[in-house]
Amino acid sequence: MVRGSLIRAGIAAAVSFTLAVGLTPLSAGSAWAEPVAGEVVIPATYVLDPRTQLFSAGPSGFLRHESTLGYLWTSYTGVDTKLDSYAPDTNMVPDLGAGSDVVAELDQPRTVTLRYMATGRSRTVTIPVGHTYVSTLGSTVVTTTGNLFDTNYTWHLFDTHDDGSVTQRAVAGVPDGIAGPTEVGAPLGDARGQVVQYRVGTTGRTGFLDIEQGRLIPLPYTRHAGTGTVVLTSTHLLWSHDGAVSIHSREDLTATPRTVPLPGGAQVLGMVGETLVVGRHDPSLGPLSYLDPVWRVEAVALDGRPTKTLLARSEGLPMPTPDGRLLVQGGPDLDQWGVSVVEAVDGGDVTIRKIAEAYPQKIQTVSGLTFTQGRLTTLEYFNAWQKRRHLYTREIGVTGTLTVGPRTARGPAPASCDTTACPDLHDTGDGRTVVSGLSYGRTDDDRQPHLLAPNQPMPGTRIDSSRTYHSVAAVGGRFAALTAASGTGNETRVVDLDTGKAVFTTTASVEALWGTTLWVRDGNDAVAPVDVLTGQRGAQVWFGQGCLLEDLQAVGRWLLWTCVGSASGQGVYDTVKRTNLRLVSGDDWSWAKLGDGFVASEVNGQLKVTDVRDGTPRSHTAGAFASWRPWDVDPYTGVIAHLGADDGIHLVPSGVPVSPLAQLDATVATSAHVKDATGHWSPKWWLSKPAASWTLVIRSQTSGVVVRTLSGGLTRGLVATTWNGRDDRRRSMPNGAYTWTLTATPADGQGAALTRSGTVQLSHECHIGDRPQLVTVRCS
């Protein structure tokens, strides 16, 4: 059947806080349910997403945004004030009272409210009709008139006063006939002025709008003056270009700047005293991205002193303070994130110290899981910002009390694996996993189905490279039903994963696979079983007039069906008794998963388990269940795995005993040619649940004497061994017939041991000279 397909779940969290002065880190509470008998919880794992944004800095504090808390005004002693009602459009208005203790908010359509954080006072400025808001610099509101096509573009300054009055000033030095910029960079400024852009004809220009003098000072640059290219400190204007940085003194911006080289792809962040502060991408932290915490902050002294690292990890843009220091977000690592200040010390050097805690968002890592034969496989976020997932496996105990083994890393999923394009994983039940090719990878080969061996890393080995496939219809044991790509015919091929060859082909829609039985659709309201080894078709199973089959799952003797249409409902069909048990009538059904003799589903936030073994449904709840989160049912052990509201993975016994140990499939050759005693007879048996131990006894058919005993311990779904034609004393056995008996003991202690027996004809191939010969004597 199609089962164990990795379920993708979006991660969404909305956390509301009402905070005032003196913020401390808070976390949203989770509803913890009482554990059910035998339940084991794998503790939640998290990745941290540091998204501290710095917007302005004044004499007493600074404005920042934290993804978990919203907008905060933070004093330099680390005390936070939450701005509950503050919600500016930060993409359009990044200068929110720049360079001061003022926090400005544009109340649409035409009112700017200035909040003085040091005193608690507020003032408002009304923007005249025809003016466009640009920024608030200290207590001065800047607007423009004109637009992209006018030639009367100019700036206006609205100053606020202690008596509440507002006066308007004209800006001197503005050339006649200028137009607005075609590209508008982020306004960059402080309480004394800001860098602005405009056009003369078709040529872009930049200038400095000096608020104190009320005039425009042209700058010698025509390029876009975006953040990251230009930095304005209280003492200097820094302009990066062509591997160098031009340093203008703000005492005279018309003077020729000092230019110093800045090699190595460094990004200028600021300047403290005579030291440049730069950011350099650290490849060990992740791929280059200007928005991710993959940057190292360094101090580059202009007097030739060695460069030194200030912060091992940072992201985003720092913020200069009015007194010549520099605020930087980052830390030694993600769990030590905060806001630090870079400041000058005696001797011309700089130092850094942390002044405020940051509040990175905690994101639980698991985005999908499968659970088969006690083998838990998960896709988990490796970090929060790239959304890149890695594959992990844990072995869960199957011989009694549930135990959790260590998490084994199996490498990254494809780079395309984000919230919309991850591979689907289908467990075969013998430790292997088929990776669905739909939307997988970026090349034709990557998009085709691949097979992962039990401990093989992604992406695995391509299955049947002679064909192009669209998707995986079903998997089980050594078989995978692969649907052909569009345009190549409406067919599904069942491929033997051990040989890579197709054993059965059908044009019918494949619904499920269990052992060697393939369930195919027979019209809209029925299915039929097909033995993939013989092609023999069994009796139709009909779900009733008006059923439009939506989903079918198969485990052992049971079929879980879901119908839509005029006969909507859900139920279980027993293929042994040939009885149909309807669990839900009408469309009030939920997506459910089939176990061995039970159905698991979610009802009103609870995990519901319905026992269907005797034809009468008996239900019980098995703890709280978080809807729309990854979950799976292990049909081989009867344990349910689901990601809970506490972000831990809950392993919950169903309470329904699993059927006795049975053989699902086998490949046991009846003859073996052993070449120079190095060849092998390699039988395999696929089992319906884990076995605690197994023994294979080989006897001479003639004498009945035991010649070889092979054995093993715990195995999950597959007994596989080899015999090289030698006895327990390593002597070659003569050609002839041998009998074998396999005994496997169930790991859960439920039911009798499984026994199988048969014969194998042994022949030796020896080399006499340079020619191989089949001989009836032992090879030396």
Side-chain angles (χ1 to χ4, degrees), residues 54-74:
L54 302 173
F55 287 109
S56 67
S60 68
F62 55 94
L63 178 66
R64 59 170 165 159
H65 182 269
E66 296 283 352
S67 59
T68 57
L69 298 176
Y71 288 90
L72 306 175
W73 178 262
T74 304

Side-chain angles (χ1 to χ4, degrees), residues 72-84:
L72 306 175
W73 178 262
T74 304
S75 72
Y76 292 114
T77 58
V79 178
D80 293 323
T81 300
K82 173 108 167 72
L83 306 181
D84 295 295

Side-chain angles (χ1 to χ4, degrees), residues 703-727:
S703 66
V705 174
V706 175
V707 299
R708 188 68 186 271
T709 300
L710 302 168
S711 62
L714 176 67
T715 183
R716 299 171 186 266
L718 177 67
V719 172
T721 189
T722 59
W723 181 43
N724 62 1
R726 295 177 179 266
D727 66 5

Side-chain angles (χ1 to χ4, degrees), residues 418-635:
D418 54 23
T419 56
T420 58
C422 276
D424 288 329
L425 305 185
H426 312 265
D427 290 339
T428 64
D430 59 11
R432 295 179 290 183
T433 302
V434 173
V435 181
S436 175
L438 186 62
S439 300
Y440 176 78
R442 297 179 178 178
T443 68
D444 288 340
D445 181 72
D446 286 341
R447 282 189 288 267
Q448 295 309 300
H450 284 61
L451 179 65
L452 288 175
N455 294 306
Q456 185 180 8
M458 297 284 271
T461 305
R462 180 170 171 176
I463 303 171
D464 188 13
S465 58
S466 67
R467 294 287 190 278
T468 299
Y469 294 102
H470 178 265
S471 61
V472 176
V475 301
R478 59 177 164 136
F479 301 115
L482 310 177
T483 303
S486 301
T488 61
N490 181 27
E491 68 174 26
T492 298
R493 294 163 60 91
V494 178
V495 177
D496 187 325
L497 299 174
D498 289 344
T499 66
K501 297 180 180 179
V503 297
F504 180 76
T505 301
T506 180
T507 56
S509 175
V510 171
E511 298 296 327
L513 175 63
W514 184 262
T516 62
T517 301
L518 188 74
W519 290 92
V520 298
R521 188 177 294 234
D522 192 4
N524 290 330
D525 53 7
V527 293
V530 179
D531 189 302
V532 298
L533 297 179
T534 65
Q536 183 176 354
R537 188 182 181 96
Q540 182 196 72
V541 176
W542 183 55
F543 302 115
Q545 185 70 33
C547 166
L548 179 59
L549 189 63
E550 175 75 8
D551 182 54
L552 184 83
Q553 300 173 37
V555 175
R557 62 192 283 183
W558 316 101
L559 298 178
L560 172 64
W561 54 266
T562 302
C563 290
V564 296
S566 60
S568 180
Q570 191 173 66
V572 173
Y573 183 84
D574 185 337
T575 63
V576 174
K577 295 181 178 180
R578 298 186 179 180
T579 56
N580 196 27
L581 177 63
R582 180 176 285 268
L583 300 178
V584 179
S585 295
D587 58 6
D588 191 26
W589 52 267
S590 60
W591 289 111
K593 291 182 183 290
L594 179 64
D596 185 2
F598 70 91
V599 175
S601 59
E602 182 268 334
V603 176
N604 298 324
Q606 294 289 313
L607 176 61
K608 178 182 177 183
V609 177
T610 303
D611 186 341
V612 298
R613 290 173 298 162
D614 64 1
T616 301
R618 292 180 172 85
S619 299
H620 67 272
T621 58
F625 188 87
S627 299
W628 304 109
R629 285 196 156 198
W631 72 294
D632 201 7
V633 172
D634 186 348

Side-chain angles (χ1 to χ4, degrees), residues 661-708:
L661 185 61
Q663 175 185 302
L664 300 179
D665 185 19
T667 56
V668 183
T670 57
S671 63
H673 299 289
V674 182
K675 179 180 179 181
D676 294 334
T678 60
H680 297 95
W681 177 56
S682 303
K684 292 182 178 180
W685 296 269
W686 281 264
L687 308 180
S688 63
K689 63 180 179 180
S693 62
W694 59 269
T695 302
L696 181 66
V697 178
I698 303 172
R699 291 179 169 89
S700 168
Q701 189 176 40
T702 303
S703 66
V705 174
V706 175
V707 299
R708 188 68 186 271

Side-chain angles (χ1 to χ4, degrees), residues 222-253:
T222 59
R223 295 194 309 161
H224 172 71
T227 53
T229 301
V230 186
V231 175
L232 184 69
T233 76
S234 63
T235 56
H236 294 87
L237 173 65
L238 314 175
W239 205 289
S240 300
H241 58 90
D242 304 322
V245 57
S246 294
I247 304 173
H248 297 260
S249 171
R250 289 187 66 174
E251 293 182 358
D252 185 1
L253 291 175

